[in-house]
Amino acid sequence: FFFQAEDGIRDAQESRGLGDVYKRQTEHYVAGFRNLKTGKYYRDQLDECVNMVFAPGTDNLVYYVEQDLDRRTHQIRKHILGTEHESDVVVFEEKDKGFYLDVNLTKDSKYITFNVNSKEASEVWVLSLSLIHI
């Protein structure tokens, strides 16, 4: 799969699931997808997506960070390729405007981390991929 934004193309394998690719919050991003093995483009587009990871062991599950109108990363959502963006489930939300979010995949690909950071504090929430049901 690839992720395309205003600054180019990122390969999911080379960037470890895109967990640390887009940290700038001053740009508008739209994520698009293509299966690199088949060449098939998906109709899916994720507006205001600034950071994402593909769940290993699946070929259609994406966790991504969405930014609000103020360009603050405030929600982590789950998207299944082939479904409408509007049906994406919010799996984590940060209401405090002093914090920002990102999502990463651990090096062993067994966990997804939801990272909550501010200038003074940080938290890491961990989701075991063995618990994921599509």
mmCIF file with all atom_site columns, all heavy atoms in Angstrom, residues 49 53 62 107 113 118:
data_model
loop_
_atom_site.group_PDB
_atom_site.id
_atom_site.type_symbol
_atom_site.label_atom_id
_atom_site.label_alt_id
_atom_site.label_comp_id
_atom_site.label_asym_id
_atom_site.label_entity_id
_atom_site.label_seq_id
_atom_site.pdbx_PDB_ins_code
_atom_site.Cartn_x
_atom_site.Cartn_y
_atom_site.Cartn_z
_atom_site.occupancy
_atom_site.B_iso_or_equiv
_atom_site.pdbx_formal_charge
_atom_site.auth_seq_id
_atom_site.auth_comp_id
_atom_site.auth_asym_id
_atom_site.auth_atom_id
_atom_site.pdbx_PDB_model_num
ATOM 1  N N   . CYS A 1 49  ? -5.878 13.376 7.604  1.00 0.00 ? 49  CYS A N   1
ATOM 2  C CA  . CYS A 1 49  ? -5.089 12.287 8.164  1.00 0.00 ? 49  CYS A CA  1
ATOM 3  C C   . CYS A 1 49  ? -3.627 12.713 8.176  1.00 0.00 ? 49  CYS A C   1
ATOM 4  O O   . CYS A 1 49  ? -3.071 13.054 7.136  1.00 0.00 ? 49  CYS A O   1
ATOM 5  C CB  . CYS A 1 49  ? -5.271 11.035 7.318  1.00 0.00 ? 49  CYS A CB  1
ATOM 6  S SG  . CYS A 1 49  ? -4.188 9.691  7.755  1.00 0.00 ? 49  CYS A SG  1
ATOM 7  N N   . VAL A 1 53  ? -0.977 3.813  10.720 1.00 0.00 ? 53  VAL A N   1
ATOM 8  C CA  . VAL A 1 53  ? -0.308 2.508  10.679 1.00 0.00 ? 53  VAL A CA  1
ATOM 9  C C   . VAL A 1 53  ? -1.295 1.492  10.136 1.00 0.00 ? 53  VAL A C   1
ATOM 10 O O   . VAL A 1 53  ? -2.495 1.577  10.390 1.00 0.00 ? 53  VAL A O   1
ATOM 11 C CB  . VAL A 1 53  ? 0.216  2.024  12.054 1.00 0.00 ? 53  VAL A CB  1
ATOM 12 C CG1 . VAL A 1 53  ? 1.305  2.920  12.577 1.00 0.00 ? 53  VAL A CG1 1
ATOM 13 C CG2 . VAL A 1 53  ? -0.885 1.861  13.063 1.00 0.00 ? 53  VAL A CG2 1
ATOM 14 N N   . VAL A 1 62  ? -6.594 0.006  8.996  1.00 0.00 ? 62  VAL A N   1
ATOM 15 C CA  . VAL A 1 62  ? -5.705 1.147  9.205  1.00 0.00 ? 62  VAL A CA  1
ATOM 16 C C   . VAL A 1 62  ? -6.143 1.896  10.459 1.00 0.00 ? 62  VAL A C   1
ATOM 17 O O   . VAL A 1 62  ? -7.328 2.135  10.660 1.00 0.00 ? 62  VAL A O   1
ATOM 18 C CB  . VAL A 1 62  ? -5.781 2.121  7.998  1.00 0.00 ? 62  VAL A CB  1
ATOM 19 C CG1 . VAL A 1 62  ? -4.906 3.340  8.222  1.00 0.00 ? 62  VAL A CG1 1
ATOM 20 C CG2 . VAL A 1 62  ? -5.420 1.426  6.713  1.00 0.00 ? 62  VAL A CG2 1
ATOM 21 N N   . LYS A 1 107 ? 8.269  -2.187 17.193 1.00 0.00 ? 107 LYS A N   1
ATOM 22 C CA  . LYS A 1 107 ? 9.232  -2.847 16.311 1.00 0.00 ? 107 LYS A CA  1
ATOM 23 C C   . LYS A 1 107 ? 8.917  -4.317 16.077 1.00 0.00 ? 107 LYS A C   1
ATOM 24 O O   . LYS A 1 107 ? 9.179  -4.847 15.004 1.00 0.00 ? 107 LYS A O   1
ATOM 25 C CB  . LYS A 1 107 ? 10.651 -2.707 16.871 1.00 0.00 ? 107 LYS A CB  1
ATOM 26 C CG  . LYS A 1 107 ? 11.200 -1.314 16.732 1.00 0.00 ? 107 LYS A CG  1
ATOM 27 C CD  . LYS A 1 107 ? 12.633 -1.238 17.213 1.00 0.00 ? 107 LYS A CD  1
ATOM 28 C CE  . LYS A 1 107 ? 13.147 0.178  17.076 1.00 0.00 ? 107 LYS A CE  1
ATOM 29 N NZ  . LYS A 1 107 ? 14.554 0.281  17.472 1.00 0.00 ? 107 LYS A NZ  1
ATOM 30 N N   . THR A 1 113 ? 0.709  1.652  19.373 1.00 0.00 ? 113 THR A N   1
ATOM 31 C CA  . THR A 1 113 ? 0.730  2.585  20.501 1.00 0.00 ? 113 THR A CA  1
ATOM 32 C C   . THR A 1 113 ? 0.008  3.867  20.119 1.00 0.00 ? 113 THR A C   1
ATOM 33 O O   . THR A 1 113 ? 0.150  4.369  19.008 1.00 0.00 ? 113 THR A O   1
ATOM 34 C CB  . THR A 1 113 ? 2.167  2.914  20.947 1.00 0.00 ? 113 THR A CB  1
ATOM 35 O OG1 . THR A 1 113 ? 2.864  3.559  19.878 1.00 0.00 ? 113 THR A OG1 1
ATOM 36 C CG2 . THR A 1 113 ? 2.915  1.665  21.366 1.00 0.00 ? 113 THR A CG2 1
ATOM 37 N N   . SER A 1 118 ? 2.293  16.467 25.454 1.00 0.00 ? 118 SER A N   1
ATOM 38 C CA  . SER A 1 118 ? 2.213  17.918 25.604 1.00 0.00 ? 118 SER A CA  1
ATOM 39 C C   . SER A 1 118 ? 3.632  18.397 25.874 1.00 0.00 ? 118 SER A C   1
ATOM 40 O O   . SER A 1 118 ? 4.572  17.606 25.842 1.00 0.00 ? 118 SER A O   1
ATOM 41 C CB  . SER A 1 118 ? 1.279  18.310 26.752 1.00 0.00 ? 118 SER A CB  1
ATOM 42 O OG  . SER A 1 118 ? 1.903  18.080 27.998 1.00 0.00 ? 118 SER A OG  1
#
